[in-house]
């Protein structure tokens, strides 16, 4: 929560929209660079897949995690295994994602590695989430 409070405070201080977007992406890339290698590799690939498949999503930190927002609302995020001492990383979606499918659907995925098929699935989900 302290990390989120710092994110909100820093966001309020920034200048133009373009400057703010550049600073937020730099903060995401810095956070990814701090991760252990296995998490970092996945986070870098996810970042690239999201930038390519959903360029309207803006990178930002969300509770200290790389996240991607539309109109200021987080749609999806990457949670490193290291941060929560878990056996797998997580790629998840907030309730702002348009993934509804009946009365029950997945909102997060466990990741131990990223294959080409996984990247394609993430790209598909992200595209659907922002429509």
């Amino acid at each position: 929560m302290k990390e989120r409070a710092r994110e909100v405070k820093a966001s309020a201080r920034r200048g133009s929209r373009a400057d703010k977007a550049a600073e937020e992406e730099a903060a995401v890339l810095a956070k990814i660079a701090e991760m252990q290698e296995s998490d970092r590799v996945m986070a870098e690939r996810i970042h690239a897949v999201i930038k390519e498949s959903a360029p309207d999503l803006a990178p930002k930190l969300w509770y200290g995690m790389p996240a991607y927002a539309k109109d200021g609302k987080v749609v999806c995020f990457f949670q490193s295994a290291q941060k929560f001492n878990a056996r797998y990383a997580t790629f998840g979606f907030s309730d702002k994602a348009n993934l509804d499918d009946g009365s029950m659907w997945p909102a997060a995925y466990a990741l131990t590695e990223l294959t080409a098929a996984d990247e394609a699935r993430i790209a598909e989900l992200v595209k659907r989430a922002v429509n």
Side-chain angles (χ1 to χ4, degrees), residues 20-21 23-26 28 47 51 57-61 67-69:
K20 184 177 178 180
E23 287 180 23
E24 287 182 340
E25 183 162 14
V28 166
H47 182 77
K51 295 282 287 182
L57 290 181
K60 66 184 287 176
L61 288 179
Y68 303 85

Side-chain angles (χ1 to χ4, degrees), residues 13 23 27 29 31 45 84-85 89 92 105 112 116 121 123 127:
R13 286 193 302 252
E23 287 180 23
L29 293 174
K31 185 60 77 171
R45 287 301 310 140
F84 295 97
N85 199 25
W105 58 90
T112 56
R121 178 74 173 132
K127 285 177 189 175

Side-chain angles (χ1 to χ4, degrees), residues 11-93:
S11 179
R13 286 193 302 252
R14 296 190 183 124
S16 73
R17 184 176 290 178
D19 290 344
K20 184 177 178 180
E23 287 180 23
E24 287 182 340
E25 183 162 14
V28 166
L29 293 174
K31 185 60 77 171
I32 290 171
E34 293 173 3
M35 294 177 185
Q36 289 180 347
E37 185 178 358
S38 59
D39 286 338
R40 185 177 63 250
V41 168
M42 286 190 287
E44 288 170 345
R45 287 301 310 140
I46 287 172
H47 182 77
V49 166
I50 291 171
K51 295 282 287 182
E52 182 179 310
S53 61
D56 291 344
L57 290 181
K60 66 184 287 176
L61 288 179
W62 187 57
Y63 295 98
M65 298 176 286
Y68 303 85
K70 181 177 181 181
D71 301 327
K73 307 288 184 187
V74 170
V75 174
C76 58
F77 59 90
F78 176 80
Q79 182 178 8
S80 73
Q82 171 192 358
K83 181 173 177 100
F84 295 97
N85 199 25
R87 64 183 181 94
Y88 54 81
T90 305
F91 180 70
F93 294 91

